Amino acid sequence: MRQIPVDTSTATVMVAKAPQPKVRDRRTGEIATDADGVKLMTVDVMFAANDEVEILSVAVPEPGISSDLAMGTPVALTGLIARPWENEFNGQKRHGIAFRAVAVTSLAAAGSASEAA
């Protein structure tokens, strides 16, 4: 499947909703894992670029998430990709774009350290 790298160098990215386990099957409550069996988390972020703002849900392996991601925390998205998807359920076609990152890292500590210097 096609994967499109996303350039975040000129974007402002902040946590919109704290990380939560990514649910694979809502009926059973099964938590999603990647190909290596690592638990996936979902982080909703505010992504502002080119005078537009969107809320993106980004899937991230649990070890790639900073421990201090509260709402409003500025973050860096490492290895962000967009992947178009399409499926059919009960005769209805659906499509969208899924986002995945290697890591979501808080920039709050980096900003505080440079302000103190």
Side-chain angles (χ1 to χ4, degrees):
M1 180 176 284
R2 180 176 56 191
Q3 294 182 10
I4 304 163
V6 179
D7 179 13
T8 60
S9 63
T10 60
T12 299
V13 185
M14 297 171 70
V15 175
K17 188 175 181 183
Q20 300 178 44
K22 180 175 175 68
V23 178
R24 178 182 174 101
D25 186 334
R26 292 175 198 257
R27 289 173 288 157
T28 64
E30 179 186 0
I31 302 300
T33 58
D34 65 12
D36 297 324
V38 176
K39 180 178 170 183
L40 292 175
M41 303 292 284
T42 299
V43 182
D44 289 352
V45 297
M46 179 201 76
F47 190 92
N50 304 322
D51 295 327
E52 292 187 24
V53 177
E54 291 192 45
I55 301 295
L56 306 179
S57 289
V58 181
V60 184
E62 189 173 35
I65 294 184
S66 288
S67 60
D68 51 350
L69 297 184
M71 185 184 297
T73 304
V75 292
L77 299 173
T78 304
L80 182 64
I81 59 162
R83 179 181 298 154
W85 60 269
E86 181 177 277
N87 65 22
E88 188 171 332
F89 185 73
N90 288 337
Q92 290 189 304
K93 287 190 178 184
R94 297 179 49 191
H95 58 84
I97 300 173
F99 293 92
R100 173 97 186 243
V102 174
V104 177
T105 310
S106 171
L107 297 176
S112 299
S114 63
E115 290 170 9

